Amino acid sequence: MKNKNRNNTSQKKRWTKIIALPAQMMRFIWELITEKLEFSIRFRLSLSYIRILLGAMITAGIGVIVIFGALTIYDRTSQDYIALSQALNNDNIEFSDVRKYSEEYKTPVLIYDYDEKLIFATEPDLAVYGYKRSIGIIRTDENFYVAVNRTQLDSGFPNKVVIYTDIKDDIQKIIIISKVVLLVFGVVLFFSIISIAFSGRGLFQPIKDMTQTVKDISERNLNLRLNVSGSKNELKELALTFNEMMNRIEDYYNRQKQFVSDASHELRTPIAVVQGYADMLDRWGKNDKEILQESIDAIKNESENMKELIDKLLFLARHDKDTFVFQKEEFSLSEMLLEIAKETQIIDSSHKIKIDVHEEVPIYADRNRIKQAVRILIDNAIKYTPSNGEIIISLENEVNDIALSIRDTGIGMTKEELRHIFDRFYRSDQSRTKDGGGHGLGLAIAKIIILGHNGMIRVKSKVGEGSEFIIFLRKN
Ligand code: ADP
């Protein structure tokens, strides 16, 4: 008994393995295809579509065949039952009538008593397959029967009746239908594969074009952009975003190029001056005290100038690289302004410096940087204001903010000049020709410092009347 059970379970296992084999094979082949070979997105998409289509078709095909088969067999067994029911459907089954109908319709009938003991059989050989409680399938050498126990369905029978319907012909029909379904689905699948394979072509062309354009972009043609006219939806969005990014990169690249060229240009002049004096000293100045002194003064002056320029360049470079940090602390802004005014007066006595600061104003900021910014504005006011002109420094103290103004009575600026004064290396034509003009970096640096403190700079100016730079800063 135990052995029989074990045999049954091992047989079941074997069958499950055999049934699962095609699915495992398919999965293995699929994994091999996707893993070992690197396919394009189009190919992968097509493969997924084909897989879905194949799955749908197999399900539909099996469904059609099963439903058709079940309906045919149900129909056949019903027909046999209806034909035989006349002989069966009364209190006393007429075995002669049963035999007559059974032979006429080639439908064996086996009748059992209520103890399931065979009492009548049109084909006694079938009894060896046992009593069928509801439905059973019996395969003999020549026939393929579906045995239906009609007793449960029609409890009016005095005995238990099992009707055997031969479905050999129906099986043949089902096989033919299966072949037709297979053929039709095969043809549909073939054409679907072809159309799926070709459908992706146009879809991926914009991606190919984009890839080509991106490949063509180099530092020499940073102005190349993706074509957004044809692409749609997500691709258009991607192309627009990429183009915007390229605009920023190109702009940044051009500004850097301009910066490097301006910086080298600015450095060339002092180096040329130093070189000129060194040559002069070499030729004639060794024994000429006057030339010696002049050269030393000029070289000192130019190297100071160069140092200043390099400091400014380093400041800007650090800011651009984002490695710049403000060292904030609490200090008195009013005190700092008085200190700057004093220092300025010592250096420059040709201008009247007025300071309109009456109360103590503490502020939380980077003292050295704020001083640097204010110095830049005061130095400019001095540079661009003729002798005897006035420079007025005033401080307005609000609850949370301050407004620091540096006003001069100098040459002033045109509207066009005002638009550019914060650009790196910008100098108005007038200041370019002027002696002692800077490098055009002062205001760019002042702006970085003030914006870095979340502040603002506002400029008012009129040609010939003077200018006013107002710095707005939060106190903390
Ligand atoms: P620079 O070192 O040349 O002064 P800045 O960046 O400080 O460079 O200033 C840029 C330009 O702005 C100057 O060349 C000058 O033309 C103009 N400018 C700045 N401040 C004043 C001012 N107070 N009055 C008139 N023009 C000014």
Side-chain angles (χ1 to χ4, degrees):
M1 188 72 177
K2 256 187 188 172
N3 249 357
K4 208 178 166 190
N5 271 350
R6 210 178 296 150
N7 271 353
N8 268 350
T9 33
S10 68
Q11 230 172 352
K12 258 187 203 167
K13 272 186 189 166
R14 202 184 308 144
W15 273 109
T16 352
K17 269 187 190 169
I18 291 170
I19 291 165
L21 205 65
Q24 274 177 348
M25 285 273 285
M26 263 182 76
R27 196 185 309 156
F28 175 73
I29 293 168
W30 176 254
E31 275 170 11
L32 196 81
I33 290 171
T34 47
E35 272 174 28
K36 302 281 178 213
L37 303 169
E38 244 186 52
F39 287 126
S40 66
I41 297 176
R42 182 158 81 92
F43 196 82
R44 276 161 178 264
L45 264 181
S46 303
L47 272 188
S48 327
Y49 288 147
I50 291 167
R51 207 164 57 143
I52 294 167
L53 188 74
L54 204 65
M57 280 185 146
I58 290 173
T59 317
I62 291 174
V64 166
I65 293 163
V66 166
I67 290 170
F68 175 79
L71 285 177
T72 315
I73 292 166
Y74 176 76
D75 205 35
R76 284 276 291 117
T77 53
S78 301
Q79 276 174 18
D80 284 348
Y81 173 62
I82 290 163
L84 278 158
S85 59
Q86 271 186 323
L88 295 167
N89 204 9
N90 50 41
D91 289 346
N92 264 324
I93 293 175
E94 288 293 335
F95 290 120
S96 55
D97 279 357
V98 173
R99 191 178 294 282
K100 198 179 95 192
Y101 279 105
S102 165
E103 274 165 15
E104 191 180 326
Y105 291 100
K106 295 194 177 59
T107 306
V109 177
L110 271 68
I111 298 175
Y112 300 81
D113 65 11
Y114 261 82
D115 295 328
E116 295 173 8
K117 232 172 86 196
L118 186 70
I119 51 172
F120 172 77
T122 57
E123 276 192 37
D125 290 353
L126 289 173
V128 294
Y129 296 101
Y131 173 69
K132 303 291 169 205
R133 234 168 261 281
S134 51
I135 291 177
I137 304 265
I138 290 115
R139 196 167 178 179
T140 65
D141 291 343
E142 288 161 23
N143 304 81
F144 204 130
Y145 290 116
V146 173
V148 184
N149 188 328
R150 292 290 173 180
T151 322
Q152 276 96 347
L153 304 174
D154 199 333
S155 51
F157 295 159
N159 302 83
K160 295 191 173 184
V161 179
V162 182
I163 301 174
Y164 287 69
T165 303
D166 188 4
I167 55 161
K168 209 166 62 196
D169 292 347
D170 302 296
I171 297 283
Q172 287 303 326
K173 248 198 259 175
I174 293 167
I175 290 171
I176 291 168
I177 290 290
S178 307
K179 283 179 182 169
V180 171
V181 166
L182 204 68
L183 187 76
V184 170
F185 280 16
V187 171
V188 171
L189 192 69
F190 176 73
F191 285 109
S192 306
I193 289 173
I194 289 177
S195 70
I196 286 172
F198 283 97
S199 65
R201 271 194 166 177
L203 204 68
F204 288 94
Q205 195 53 44
I207 295 185
K208 280 189 181 167
D209 295 345
M210 281 182 184
T211 314
Q212 194 50 52
T213 315
V214 174
K215 269 186 193 162
D216 290 344
I217 293 176
S218 72
E219 62 186 82
R220 274 193 209 90
N221 53 6
L222 273 179
N223 58 342
L224 264 186
R225 293 291 178 272
L226 296 179
N227 178 12
V228 285
S229 58
S231 35
K232 284 190 183 86
N233 310 328
E234 289 88 346
L235 281 186
K236 184 163 190 153
E237 190 68 33
L238 176 71
L240 282 172
T241 314
F242 180 83
N243 285 352
E244 275 164 22
M245 182 195 74
M246 282 310 297
N247 288 347
R248 288 197 298 273
I249 291 178
E250 190 188 3
D251 185 46
Y252 181 76
Y253 182 78
N254 286 342
R255 273 193 290 134
Q256 284 302 316
K257 237 167 64 175
Q258 187 63 41
F259 182 71
V260 171
S261 122
D262 288 343
S264 6
H265 184 79
E266 288 296 323
L267 279 169
R268 234 183 17 215
T269 322
I271 287 172
V273 173
V274 170
Q275 226 171 14
Y277 275 104
D279 282 349
M280 195 162 84
L281 276 177
D282 198 23
R283 277 188 218 148
W284 310 291
K286 281 175 195 143
N287 302 317
D288 188 330
K289 276 207 160 182
E290 219 174 284
I291 292 180
L292 199 63
Q293 191 54 50
E294 187 194 330
S295 307
I296 290 169
D297 288 347
I299 289 170
K300 264 169 102 178
N301 198 14
E302 286 309 321
S303 32
E304 183 58 32
N305 194 4
M306 249 190 302
K307 188 184 163 291
E308 236 175 65
L309 174 62
I310 288 168
D311 283 347
K312 285 178 179 170
L313 290 175
L314 275 178
F315 178 96
L316 292 170
R318 247 182 261 147
H319 166 261
D320 290 347
K321 269 206 297 182
D322 261 352
T323 53
F324 191 83
V325 261
F326 290 109
Q327 313 277 332
K328 291 190 181 176
E329 58 182 317
E330 182 145 323
F331 65 92
S332 164
L333 183 64
S334 39
E335 213 173 86
M336 191 189 88
L337 289 177
L338 292 169
E339 187 184 304
I340 298 175
K342 216 168 167 188
E343 285 168 8
T344 315
Q345 222 126 34
I346 295 170
I347 307 163
D348 176 73
S349 52
S350 60
H351 297 93
K352 275 174 241 153
I353 302 190
K354 279 190 185 170
I355 179 142
D356 194 5
V357 178
H358 305 291
E359 56 176 322
E360 167 79 10
V361 180
I363 184 171
Y364 183 73
D366 186 327
R367 190 178 197 281
N368 290 336
R369 294 301 168 200
I370 296 287
K371 189 171 178 183
Q372 187 183 3
V374 175
R375 275 236 74 99
I376 289 169
L377 299 182
I378 295 179
D379 284 352
N380 277 351
I382 292 171
K383 263 193 283 182
Y384 303 110
T385 303
S387 297
N388 292 327
E390 257 184 18
I391 289 145
I392 304 117
I393 304 165
S394 62
L395 187 59
E396 264 178 47
N397 187 16
E398 300 290 331
V399 185
N400 294 317
D401 315 84
I402 58 101
L404 162 60
S405 149
I406 292 141
R407 188 152 52 88
D408 63 55
T409 53
I411 56 172
M413 288 169 274
T414 62
K415 275 198 176 145
E416 181 55 30
E417 284 167 355
L418 277 176
R419 218 169 286 148
H420 299 289
I421 54 171
F422 291 102
D423 294 349
R424 290 174 186 186
F425 294 106
Y426 174 80
R427 275 177 293 171
S428 70
D429 294 339
Q430 232 177 331
S431 63
R432 215 173 273 274
T433 48
K434 197 174 175 299
D435 242 13
H439 305 283
L441 292 175
L443 286 181
I445 290 173
K447 183 180 157 186
I448 288 173
I449 294 171
I450 302 305
L451 294 190
H453 282 80
N454 296 322
M456 256 182 358
I457 306 186
R458 189 180 294 160
V459 194
K460 295 183 210 164
S461 187
K462 240 182 183 173
V463 177
E465 288 185 19
S467 313
E468 182 179 14
F469 285 77
I470 310 166
I471 295 175
F472 297 93
L473 278 176
R474 287 189 68 79
K475 282 190 192 168
N476 43 44

